[in-house]
Amino acid sequence: MAQIELNNLTKTYKSHSALKSVDLTVKDKEFLVLFGPAGAGKTTTLKMIAGLEFPDEGLVKINGEIVNIVPPANRNVSMVFENYALYPHLSVYDNIASPMRSSLYRESEEYIKEAILKVTAKMKIDHLLERLPSQLSNGQRQRVALGRCLVRKPNVFLMDEPLAHLDAKLRHFMRAELKEMQASFDTTTIYVTHDYMEALSLGDRIAIINQGEIVQIGTGEELFYTPCNQFVAGLMGEPEINIIPGEIIRDGANVRVKLARQNQLYELPEDVADFFRGNSIEQVNLGVRGNDVSCSSERTSTKSIKGTVYVLEPIGNRSILTADVEGQKIRIIVSNSYDVDMDSTIYVDMDFSDIIFFDRESEEFLIRHNQESLVKEGANG
Amino acid sequence: MADLILENVFKRYDNNKKSKVLNDYAVNNLSLHCNEGEFIGILGPSGCGKTTTLRMIAGLEDITGGDISIGDIRLNNLEPKDRHIGLAFEDYALYPPLNVYDNIAFNLRAKKVSEEIIDEKIKKIAPLLKVDDLLKEKPISLSGGQKQRVNIARAIVREPKLLLLDEPLSHLDGKMRQVLRDEIKRLHREIKCTTIIVTHDQLEAMSLSDRMAIMKDGVLQQFGTPLEIYDDPANEFVAGFIGEPPMNLLTVTIVKEGEGFLFQFAEKNMKISVPERYNKVLKDGMKVRLGVRPTDVLIGTKKSPGSDVEVSVFESLGEERRLHFRVGEEFLTLITTEKIFYRPGDRVKLEFLSEKTHLFDMESGDKIRTE
């Protein structure tokens, strides 16, 4: 049992405010991802839970107990840093045994053996105990490093960007490896990353942090489909979500949207129209992902938006076409066989059922079509 | 035609740590024919010889063997300054005491071009690179993206026959990189100067290049359009190098099943059908390297040949979903944008898109062709 609670956690370095009143509860056995850009306060938060930094204000609680002044060694917290440093001259068995043999624990060899066999069986590395780290694959090494942290049954497992130092190709495999053995952790885990794929893949829940403040907490589906503001929407997805200014036009019960510098009025899905009937918001931003826009050299409907091809970039199994619509750049994902000349005319079509509406001024989330069923649909495996 | 032609070019560093053995070539028999106005990317892992190649073209390295020429003019013995080449390297190396205008003008003044003509040229180039508002600024007050724009402006203001770019974007952060990438692409269309970019970033190379040269250990592996290389890699190295996330590359045994064949994986009971077009070139019991991109692995139907396989990992990543199937110490990965949902332990049949299934020779790594 280990529930982590952070209340009003605040930290200032000289004049730079690293954390501003952070409140966060991590449930027992939950895998929580702390996700945000560089300098957001992710690692500072982690260090406070580990006891390596002290808050100026606020409380750190483990299982309801305030641990602010408990030294790191007595918190029973296990921290995994960016590289999984294993002792190269020790076998897998001795690597995993090393924390339990330390002066702090001094467990009996009998106890150690039992604990190692249990953990290594769970992580499917029990056939590798005699090997040296150099005789292991990357995935096996990761498992050994994590096994070494888990063997002493920490209350909390803290992971600080463990995959960040890997190249993109290896990261893809190691993330899958990590996810495969996630179920065997059985320990409350806080995982820090600035990679949205890691956040979406691994987190039971994701807490988004920016400039020392928690911006949104939710499942990957919640954050992806209903980001609480444009900042969060911009963090998820490649290429970044398009933000297009628009205006809500009301004509009696008829509610439609007009895009900036366009005359055409577009119908809204009924639930979205309903939302705008209930308020008087006019200035909005439309968040549209590159997957939810299509384009064609011919006008396909009267609703098509005319623009020009700014640039077309093939990037493998797909291409990114950047359309220039009256100075507004719209990035569209197209098939990699799609070929079109720069500056030629193009017609852009959007599916309004996929658009996320934000308030223009506050940049806060307003509404999207079908939001409840989208969020519920695919809870992460 | 002023094409850039490299013919059987060799480079060996003598008395250099780089060459541990005699005949260890940094560039080994490289021939490339770049058409006038083409944008060529040279791509490969570090130490593949890409930067050495660029430096030989620029005249910063001697050529050990072979010829480099632009049109009828052989470059080998020409001084760098006589080659009419514009260079923009990774570090901007602007003159700190000079403002942007004087930085761009510097090389023209060295060539005693009149101030009037210099002014005319800078006024033409500056807006193309969006530095027209910065001409009075000193380098210290510029962002990384702006410095690289000035750097490129300085390279093209002399109207070179050839523009060489060495990792021009690698210092920049993600967003700026994307913006400048787009602008370089548009600039090239404007000035139509033959351009060579050296980069280790495959997205950069693919998005900018008309054709790409993939190098490894000093040897050219493949030369073609980005799509040709992506869809039809010449060997296992190229297949694994290009594509992100990477192509699935696994050792399989071919087993006979009725009229056709199946791939048998390291997990012996995992079998997936072999596309029919390979029937004539395969034999029962043969081992090959199978290459198939994650987006070309499909979920089959109950009737699909082969065994069903167990889902080891399911990832929901917003725009796409990934399924990983454990094969020994490796995974076979499937990527789809369909809104599917699986749990670990679920069993599915898999199929590979026939035209996108590649086989490579176990020994040489060369592609096994069906005709």
Side-chain angles (χ1 to χ4, degrees), chain A residues 137 140 143 168-169 172-173 175-177 179-180 196-197 200-201 221 224-225 237-238 240 291 309-317 331 336 342-343 377 379-381, chain B residues 130 175 178 181-183 185-186 189 202-203 206-207 227 230 240-246 295 312-319 321-322 324 326 329 331 333 339 341:
Chain A
S137 73
Q140 290 167 335
R143 272 179 272 164
K169 282 176 191 163
H172 157 87
F173 288 114
R175 193 180 68 226
E177 284 266 358
K179 179 141 183 133
E180 191 184 31
Y196 82 96
M197 298 252 227
L200 288 175
S201 167
E221 262 71 19
F224 186 79
Y225 291 114
E238 182 57 44
E240 205 178 299
N291 268 326
V309 177
Y310 184 69
V311 43
L312 174 67
E313 301 173 290
I315 54 165
N317 70 329
R331 292 191 191 277
N336 63 4
M342 268 190 233
D343 291 333
E377 180 176 277
N380 215 339
Chain B
K130 305 204 165 100
K175 263 186 201 173
Q178 166 98 58
R181 199 167 79 191
D182 290 0
E183 285 176 10
K185 191 152 184 170
R186 290 191 62 85
R189 181 170 182 273
Q202 54 166 301
L203 280 189
M206 290 184 100
S207 66
L227 201 57
Y230 185 84
F241 188 72
I242 295 294
E244 190 9 73
T295 42
S312 305
V313 180
F314 172 76
E315 296 183 286
S316 176
L317 300 174
E319 293 143 335
R321 280 140 254 330
R322 296 188 186 181
H324 306 273
R326 176 58 77 187
E329 273 306 312
F331 285 115
T333 299
K339 291 202 168 126
F341 176 67

Side-chain angles (χ1 to χ4, degrees), chain A residues 248-257 265-279:
Chain A
I248 302 295
I249 307 288
R250 295 174 178 82
D251 176 15
N254 202 355
V255 181
R256 288 179 293 181
V257 68
L265 290 173
Y266 296 90
E267 303 294 331
L268 294 170
E270 198 44 34
D271 50 350
V272 176
D274 239 11
F275 171 85
F276 285 110
R277 279 184 199 110
N279 58 48

Side-chain angles (χ1 to χ4, degrees), chain B residues 338-356:
Chain B
E338 302 282 320
K339 291 202 168 126
I340 52 166
F341 176 67
Y342 287 92
R343 283 175 204 286
D346 288 352
R347 299 188 77 84
V348 295
K349 285 270 183 79
L350 295 179
E351 285 179 22
F352 300 140
L353 262 181
S354 168
E355 288 308 311
K356 302 289 177 69

